[in-house]
Amino acid sequence: MSVTVLIGAQWGDEGKGKVSCYLSRKAAITARYSGGHNAGHTVIISGKKFKLHLIPSGVFYEETLALLGNGMVIDPEALFQEIQMLQDSGYPCKNIKISPLAHLIFPFHREIDVLMEKTRGKNAIGTTRKGIGPAYSDKAERSGIRICDLLDKKIFKEKLLSNLQTKRERYPALNGVLNIRHFADFPERYGEKLAPYMSDTSKIIQDALKSKRPVICEGAQGTMLDLDFGTYPFVTSSDVTAGAVATGLGIPPQEIKKVIGITKAYTTRVGAGDFPTEEKGKVGTFLREHGCEYGTTTGRPRRCGWIDGVILKYGKKINGYSGMVVTKLDVLTGLNEIKFCEAYNYQGNILKEFPYNPKIFHEAEPVYRSFKGWGRDIREIKRRRDLPKACQKFLDFLEEFTETPIDLISVGEERDQVIQS
Ligand code: GDP
Ligand code: IMO
Ligand code: MG
């Protein structure tokens, strides 16, 4: 069986957790390949809400392995809190496997994240302050400390001493924090507990591919937050697009047969950066309140606006969506008019493609196509043809515009509130 990748098609929080959990029911594996606990993936099963940050959403199924790949950055404290939360709810977590090659996030990475945001002043990115950027910086600088290093006290100490020495020179304000005595016991505190979870996750996937059950790769963040293709510098510090699956899990690219772009029926963004279709007035408030648009990880109110077809097409170009999932369609219920951005107007010129020049994107004005709204509650509908006509027209246009079939429509927050399209 082949690999299916779930990619956020916007700026994150598209409902990847819910969709991944729904699709993982029959999967051999669900795997995260990038990011860390900056992600917040919500899954609601029979009224019980779970907020996952590191563990992929297939963890709820005993028969499905939940893999944390080498491309991730892992804060062991956050990981064990999440495992505890799941175990307290009756999920034993014996199906979790972690790549020894994943990099560790230390408390000092969080402190550096906070300090750098302060230093950026009015240009702050609005990071989640979880230490993601500083941990990936260490990885790229080749001074990072990996999960496997926790298994050897001597190696761990040598690497940590060298890492901290450079950091003390670079961040004198953090000298109190950058002391080995705060972290020297990590091998005992976390190494022994992590050892049973450590496994060659790349090999596990290769073996599973010989079976008939699917492998689901659960993206974190979204295409527009990608380090290369997102709205740089207002992005995260990892590659989140489909290409990152191969390097973040150690699987050959040709095994990836399906790439599903997940989009909300509107758009949200947390943190700073341009967002042409943002609605700051009544519509924005409607979407935020009806869609409960508050960050899963930080609780920050999410910025809300209309769906942006230009970025969906851009994401298709980079990720090669073979299908789309539209989530939160129910949130639009009650609006008289629904808008769909089909191009940008830049100084009188109509742009149909996402502009690589950030200055142009900054000044881009959305060009909208207007759709009629609907008033009927759609949350319990199970067939696309039973949706209100106005709703069907909106979906038909989305498919036509992106030239991508909609595979699944999510019409409520519960795992099973979906329409197989
Ligand atoms: P993720 O980061 O992509 O997994 O998304 P988040 O979990 O951060 O944010 C999505 C939010 O929307 C969560 O609160 C979900 O429970 C909720 N959600 C997902 N799909 C739907 C849907 O179709 N309708 C509604 N009303 N809520 C949804
Ligand atoms: P999920 O997986 C939404 C945003 C932050 C900030 C920028 C950089 O739940 O969709 P970072 O802490 O990564 O250095 O922050 O990226 N961001 C997210 N926004 N959903 C996420 O994950 C995000 N992960 C990071 O708000 O703007
Ligand atoms: Mg989220």
Side-chain angles (χ1 to χ4, degrees), residues 48-72:
K48 186 155 171 54
K49 186 185 271 198
F50 299 91
K51 293 179 183 184
L52 299 174
H53 300 283
L54 286 163
I55 301 170
S57 309
V59 69
F60 300 102
Y61 311 114
E62 249 175 79
E63 304 283 303
T64 304
L65 290 178
L67 263 52
L68 281 70
N70 56 279
M72 292 185 72

PDB file of all heavy atoms in Angstrom, residues 48-72:
ATOM      1  N   LYS A  48     -15.525  13.910  23.591  1.00  0.00           N
ATOM      2  CA  LYS A  48     -14.303  14.157  24.375  1.00  0.00           C
ATOM      3  C   LYS A  48     -13.240  14.788  23.488  1.00  0.00           C
ATOM      4  O   LYS A  48     -12.910  14.274  22.431  1.00  0.00           O
ATOM      5  CB  LYS A  48     -13.803  12.840  24.990  1.00  0.00           C
ATOM      6  CG  LYS A  48     -12.632  13.068  25.916  1.00  0.00           C
ATOM      7  CD  LYS A  48     -12.495  11.992  26.974  1.00  0.00           C
ATOM      8  CE  LYS A  48     -11.196  12.111  27.766  1.00  0.00           C
ATOM      9  NZ  LYS A  48     -10.907  13.391  28.385  1.00  0.00           N
ATOM     10  N   LYS A  49     -12.733  15.937  23.980  1.00  0.00           N
ATOM     11  CA  LYS A  49     -11.771  16.701  23.171  1.00  0.00           C
ATOM     12  C   LYS A  49     -10.335  16.374  23.563  1.00  0.00           C
ATOM     13  O   LYS A  49      -9.988  16.377  24.748  1.00  0.00           O
ATOM     14  CB  LYS A  49     -12.034  18.195  23.388  1.00  0.00           C
ATOM     15  CG  LYS A  49     -11.195  19.081  22.489  1.00  0.00           C
ATOM     16  CD  LYS A  49     -11.384  20.559  22.800  1.00  0.00           C
ATOM     17  CE  LYS A  49     -12.517  21.161  22.010  1.00  0.00           C
ATOM     18  NZ  LYS A  49     -12.464  22.628  21.950  1.00  0.00           N
ATOM     19  N   PHE A  50      -9.509  16.101  22.551  1.00  0.00           N
ATOM     20  CA  PHE A  50      -8.071  15.865  22.760  1.00  0.00           C
ATOM     21  C   PHE A  50      -7.287  16.901  21.964  1.00  0.00           C
ATOM     22  O   PHE A  50      -7.578  17.114  20.790  1.00  0.00           O
ATOM     23  CB  PHE A  50      -7.674  14.467  22.271  1.00  0.00           C
ATOM     24  CG  PHE A  50      -8.376  13.356  22.995  1.00  0.00           C
ATOM     25  CD1 PHE A  50      -9.583  12.859  22.515  1.00  0.00           C
ATOM     26  CD2 PHE A  50      -7.849  12.831  24.163  1.00  0.00           C
ATOM     27  CE1 PHE A  50     -10.250  11.843  23.186  1.00  0.00           C
ATOM     28  CE2 PHE A  50      -8.506  11.808  24.842  1.00  0.00           C
ATOM     29  CZ  PHE A  50      -9.713  11.316  24.350  1.00  0.00           C
ATOM     30  N   LYS A  51      -6.299  17.508  22.617  1.00  0.00           N
ATOM     31  CA  LYS A  51      -5.433  18.439  21.898  1.00  0.00           C
ATOM     32  C   LYS A  51      -4.059  17.797  21.801  1.00  0.00           C
ATOM     33  O   LYS A  51      -3.367  17.660  22.806  1.00  0.00           O
ATOM     34  CB  LYS A  51      -5.336  19.764  22.653  1.00  0.00           C
ATOM     35  CG  LYS A  51      -6.645  20.535  22.675  1.00  0.00           C
ATOM     36  CD  LYS A  51      -6.489  21.824  23.448  1.00  0.00           C
ATOM     37  CE  LYS A  51      -7.816  22.545  23.525  1.00  0.00           C
ATOM     38  NZ  LYS A  51      -7.696  23.847  24.188  1.00  0.00           N
ATOM     39  N   LEU A  52      -3.706  17.383  20.591  1.00  0.00           N
ATOM     40  CA  LEU A  52      -2.411  16.722  20.395  1.00  0.00           C
ATOM     41  C   LEU A  52      -1.415  17.734  19.832  1.00  0.00           C
ATOM     42  O   LEU A  52      -1.762  18.558  18.983  1.00  0.00           O
ATOM     43  CB  LEU A  52      -2.563  15.560  19.422  1.00  0.00           C
ATOM     44  CG  LEU A  52      -3.525  14.456  19.868  1.00  0.00           C
ATOM     45  CD1 LEU A  52      -3.722  13.428  18.766  1.00  0.00           C
ATOM     46  CD2 LEU A  52      -3.015  13.770  21.135  1.00  0.00           C
ATOM     47  N   HIS A  53      -0.197  17.663  20.320  1.00  0.00           N
ATOM     48  CA  HIS A  53       0.826  18.609  19.851  1.00  0.00           C
ATOM     49  C   HIS A  53       1.974  17.897  19.142  1.00  0.00           C
ATOM     50  O   HIS A  53       2.580  18.434  18.238  1.00  0.00           O
ATOM     51  CB  HIS A  53       1.358  19.427  21.028  1.00  0.00           C
ATOM     52  CG  HIS A  53       0.268  20.223  21.700  1.00  0.00           C
ATOM     53  ND1 HIS A  53      -0.236  21.376  21.169  1.00  0.00           N
ATOM     54  CD2 HIS A  53      -0.443  19.997  22.833  1.00  0.00           C
ATOM     55  CE1 HIS A  53      -1.194  21.853  21.949  1.00  0.00           C
ATOM     56  NE2 HIS A  53      -1.340  21.018  22.962  1.00  0.00           N
ATOM     57  N   LEU A  54       2.300  16.700  19.617  1.00  0.00           N
ATOM     58  CA  LEU A  54       3.440  15.968  19.060  1.00  0.00           C
ATOM     59  C   LEU A  54       3.042  14.612  18.480  1.00  0.00           C
ATOM     60  O   LEU A  54       3.662  14.120  17.547  1.00  0.00           O
ATOM     61  CB  LEU A  54       4.488  15.730  20.162  1.00  0.00           C
ATOM     62  CG  LEU A  54       5.314  16.953  20.580  1.00  0.00           C
ATOM     63  CD1 LEU A  54       5.997  16.716  21.923  1.00  0.00           C
ATOM     64  CD2 LEU A  54       6.351  17.278  19.523  1.00  0.00           C
ATOM     65  N   ILE A  55       2.038  14.024  19.085  1.00  0.00           N
ATOM     66  CA  ILE A  55       1.681  12.639  18.728  1.00  0.00           C
ATOM     67  C   ILE A  55       0.636  12.650  17.607  1.00  0.00           C
ATOM     68  O   ILE A  55      -0.364  13.364  17.708  1.00  0.00           O
ATOM     69  CB  ILE A  55       1.150  11.901  19.985  1.00  0.00           C
ATOM     70  CG1 ILE A  55       2.240  11.907  21.067  1.00  0.00           C
ATOM     71  CG2 ILE A  55       0.695  10.485  19.655  1.00  0.00           C
ATOM     72  CD1 ILE A  55       1.787  11.440  22.432  1.00  0.00           C
ATOM     73  N   PRO A  56       0.869  11.881  16.548  1.00  0.00           N
ATOM     74  CA  PRO A  56      -0.105  11.884  15.452  1.00  0.00           C
ATOM     75  C   PRO A  56      -1.449  11.271  15.860  1.00  0.00           C
ATOM     76  O   PRO A  56      -1.530  10.456  16.791  1.00  0.00           O
ATOM     77  CB  PRO A  56       0.585  11.066  14.361  1.00  0.00           C
ATOM     78  CG  PRO A  56       1.683  10.327  15.019  1.00  0.00           C
ATOM     79  CD  PRO A  56       2.047  11.059  16.273  1.00  0.00           C
ATOM     80  N   SER A  57      -2.475  11.673  15.122  1.00  0.00           N
ATOM     81  CA  SER A  57      -3.855  11.409  15.564  1.00  0.00           C
ATOM     82  C   SER A  57      -4.324   9.972  15.386  1.00  0.00           C
ATOM     83  O   SER A  57      -5.454   9.647  15.752  1.00  0.00           O
ATOM     84  CB  SER A  57      -4.802  12.353  14.829  1.00  0.00           C
ATOM     85  OG  SER A  57      -4.335  13.675  14.955  1.00  0.00           O
ATOM     86  N   GLY A  58      -3.471   9.091  14.866  1.00  0.00           N
ATOM     87  CA  GLY A  58      -3.833   7.681  14.792  1.00  0.00           C
ATOM     88  C   GLY A  58      -3.594   6.968  16.118  1.00  0.00           C
ATOM     89  O   GLY A  58      -3.915   5.789  16.270  1.00  0.00           O
ATOM     90  N   VAL A  59      -3.051   7.676  17.092  1.00  0.00           N
ATOM     91  CA  VAL A  59      -2.703   7.072  18.386  1.00  0.00           C
ATOM     92  C   VAL A  59      -3.917   6.438  19.079  1.00  0.00           C
ATOM     93  O   VAL A  59      -3.771   5.535  19.897  1.00  0.00           O
ATOM     94  CB  VAL A  59      -2.033   8.133  19.319  1.00  0.00           C
ATOM     95  CG1 VAL A  59      -3.023   9.191  19.761  1.00  0.00           C
ATOM     96  CG2 VAL A  59      -1.345   7.474  20.502  1.00  0.00           C
ATOM     97  N   PHE A  60      -5.125   6.880  18.692  1.00  0.00           N
ATOM     98  CA  PHE A  60      -6.339   6.377  19.350  1.00  0.00           C
ATOM     99  C   PHE A  60      -6.696   4.956  18.923  1.00  0.00           C
ATOM    100  O   PHE A  60      -7.574   4.341  19.508  1.00  0.00           O
ATOM    101  CB  PHE A  60      -7.516   7.322  19.052  1.00  0.00           C
ATOM    102  CG  PHE A  60      -7.261   8.719  19.547  1.00  0.00           C
ATOM    103  CD1 PHE A  60      -6.885   9.725  18.675  1.00  0.00           C
ATOM    104  CD2 PHE A  60      -7.365   9.012  20.898  1.00  0.00           C
ATOM    105  CE1 PHE A  60      -6.628  11.009  19.129  1.00  0.00           C
ATOM    106  CE2 PHE A  60      -7.097  10.295  21.370  1.00  0.00           C
ATOM    107  CZ  PHE A  60      -6.733  11.296  20.482  1.00  0.00           C
ATOM    108  N   TYR A  61      -6.041   4.455  17.872  1.00  0.00           N
ATOM    109  CA  TYR A  61      -6.354   3.102  17.387  1.00  0.00           C
ATOM    110  C   TYR A  61      -5.209   2.155  17.730  1.00  0.00           C
ATOM    111  O   TYR A  61      -4.083   2.341  17.253  1.00  0.00           O
ATOM    112  CB  TYR A  61      -6.574   3.120  15.870  1.00  0.00           C
ATOM    113  CG  TYR A  61      -7.522   4.206  15.413  1.00  0.00           C
ATOM    114  CD1 TYR A  61      -7.075   5.260  14.633  1.00  0.00           C
ATOM    115  CD2 TYR A  61      -8.860   4.169  15.798  1.00  0.00           C
ATOM    116  CE1 TYR A  61      -7.949   6.262  14.221  1.00  0.00           C
ATOM    117  CE2 TYR A  61      -9.735   5.172  15.395  1.00  0.00           C
ATOM    118  CZ  TYR A  61      -9.269   6.211  14.606  1.00  0.00           C
ATOM    119  OH  TYR A  61     -10.127   7.207  14.209  1.00  0.00           O
ATOM    120  N   GLU A  62      -5.527   1.149  18.521  1.00  0.00           N
ATOM    121  CA  GLU A  62      -4.506   0.192  18.976  1.00  0.00           C
ATOM    122  C   GLU A  62      -3.728  -0.447  17.827  1.00  0.00           C
ATOM    123  O   GLU A  62      -2.537  -0.718  17.931  1.00  0.00           O
ATOM    124  CB  GLU A  62      -5.202  -0.924  19.742  1.00  0.00           C
ATOM    125  CG  GLU A  62      -4.902  -0.912  21.230  1.00  0.00           C
ATOM    126  CD  GLU A  62      -5.730  -1.970  21.920  1.00  0.00           C
ATOM    127  OE1 GLU A  62      -5.351  -3.145  21.844  1.00  0.00           O
ATOM    128  OE2 GLU A  62      -6.769  -1.594  22.527  1.00  0.00           O
ATOM    129  N   GLU A  63      -4.444  -0.684  16.723  1.00  0.00           N
ATOM    130  CA  GLU A  63      -3.842  -1.393  15.588  1.00  0.00           C
ATOM    131  C   GLU A  63      -3.012  -0.482  14.678  1.00  0.00           C
ATOM    132  O   GLU A  63      -2.463  -0.925  13.678  1.00  0.00           O
ATOM    133  CB  GLU A  63      -4.945  -2.024  14.717  1.00  0.00           C
ATOM    134  CG  GLU A  63      -5.882  -2.940  15.460  1.00  0.00           C
ATOM    135  CD  GLU A  63      -5.233  -4.285  15.718  1.00  0.00           C
ATOM    136  OE1 GLU A  63      -4.825  -4.910  14.740  1.00  0.00           O
ATOM    137  OE2 GLU A  63      -5.110  -4.671  16.896  1.00  0.00           O
ATOM    138  N   THR A  64      -2.999   0.791  14.987  1.00  0.00           N
ATOM    139  CA  THR A  64      -2.278   1.761  14.146  1.00  0.00           C
ATOM    140  C   THR A  64      -1.053   2.262  14.902  1.00  0.00           C
ATOM    141  O   THR A  64      -1.168   2.657  16.072  1.00  0.00           O
ATOM    142  CB  THR A  64      -3.209   2.961  13.820  1.00  0.00           C
ATOM    143  OG1 THR A  64      -4.387   2.456  13.214  1.00  0.00           O
ATOM    144  CG2 THR A  64      -2.545   3.963  12.904  1.00  0.00           C
ATOM    145  N   LEU A  65       0.094   2.258  14.243  1.00  0.00           N
ATOM    146  CA  LEU A  65       1.285   2.801  14.906  1.00  0.00           C
ATOM    147  C   LEU A  65       1.302   4.314  14.756  1.00  0.00           C
ATOM    148  O   LEU A  65       0.927   4.853  13.706  1.00  0.00           O
ATOM    149  CB  LEU A  65       2.558   2.220  14.289  1.00  0.00           C
ATOM    150  CG  LEU A  65       2.843   0.747  14.571  1.00  0.00           C
ATOM    151  CD1 LEU A  65       4.122   0.311  13.844  1.00  0.00           C
ATOM    152  CD2 LEU A  65       3.004   0.497  16.072  1.00  0.00           C
ATOM    153  N   ALA A  66       1.718   4.995  15.809  1.00  0.00           N
ATOM    154  CA  ALA A  66       1.820   6.462  15.779  1.00  0.00           C
ATOM    155  C   ALA A  66       3.301   6.818  15.831  1.00  0.00           C
ATOM    156  O   ALA A  66       3.961   6.623  16.853  1.00  0.00           O
ATOM    157  CB  ALA A  66       1.068   7.056  16.967  1.00  0.00           C
ATOM    158  N   LEU A  67       3.808   7.317  14.692  1.00  0.00           N
ATOM    159  CA  LEU A  67       5.259   7.543  14.570  1.00  0.00           C
ATOM    160  C   LEU A  67       5.626   9.021  14.662  1.00  0.00           C
ATOM    161  O   LEU A  67       4.978   9.861  14.036  1.00  0.00           O
ATOM    162  CB  LEU A  67       5.724   7.040  13.204  1.00  0.00           C
ATOM    163  CG  LEU A  67       6.318   5.642  13.102  1.00  0.00           C
ATOM    164  CD1 LEU A  67       5.439   4.591  13.715  1.00  0.00           C
ATOM    165  CD2 LEU A  67       6.604   5.290  11.648  1.00  0.00           C
ATOM    166  N   LEU A  68       6.694   9.304  15.408  1.00  0.00           N
ATOM    167  CA  LEU A  68       7.263  10.655  15.439  1.00  0.00           C
ATOM    168  C   LEU A  68       8.586  10.575  14.672  1.00  0.00           C
ATOM    169  O   LEU A  68       9.534   9.933  15.121  1.00  0.00           O
ATOM    170  CB  LEU A  68       7.499  11.130  16.879  1.00  0.00           C
ATOM    171  CG  LEU A  68       6.265  11.649  17.654  1.00  0.00           C
ATOM    172  CD1 LEU A  68       5.302  10.518  17.991  1.00  0.00           C
ATOM    173  CD2 LEU A  68       6.683  12.341  18.935  1.00  0.00           C
ATOM    174  N   GLY A  69       8.624  11.194  13.495  1.00  0.00           N
ATOM    175  CA  GLY A  69       9.738  11.003  12.575  1.00  0.00           C
ATOM    176  C   GLY A  69      10.969  11.832  12.891  1.00  0.00           C
ATOM    177  O   GLY A  69      10.939  12.755  13.712  1.00  0.00           O
ATOM    178  N   ASN A  70      12.045  11.503  12.179  1.00  0.00           N
ATOM    179  CA  ASN A  70      13.350  12.158  12.388  1.00  0.00           C
ATOM    180  C   ASN A  70      13.322  13.652  12.081  1.00  0.00           C
ATOM    181  O   ASN A  70      14.139  14.421  12.587  1.00  0.00           O
ATOM    182  CB  ASN A  70      14.413  11.490  11.508  1.00  0.00           C
ATOM    183  CG  ASN A  70      14.034  11.489  10.040  1.00  0.00           C
ATOM    184  OD1 ASN A  70      13.251  10.646   9.594  1.00  0.00           O
ATOM    185  ND2 ASN A  70      14.541  12.448   9.299  1.00  0.00           N
ATOM    186  N   GLY A  71      12.348  14.100  11.266  1.00  0.00           N
ATOM    187  CA  GLY A  71      12.283  15.517  10.897  1.00  0.00           C
ATOM    188  C   GLY A  71      11.694  16.400  11.981  1.00  0.00           C
ATOM    189  O   GLY A  71      11.649  17.622  11.830  1.00  0.00           O
ATOM    190  N   MET A  72      11.267  15.780  13.075  1.00  0.00           N
ATOM    191  CA  MET A  72      10.615  16.578  14.136  1.00  0.00           C
ATOM    192  C   MET A  72      11.617  17.118  15.148  1.00  0.00           C
ATOM    193  O   MET A  72      12.746  16.639  15.242  1.00  0.00           O
ATOM    194  CB  MET A  72       9.601  15.697  14.887  1.00  0.00           C
ATOM    195  CG  MET A  72       8.411  15.292  14.056  1.00  0.00           C
ATOM    196  SD  MET A  72       7.210  14.379  15.047  1.00  0.00           S
ATOM    197  CE  MET A  72       6.525  15.678  16.092  1.00  0.00           C
TER     198      MET A  72
END
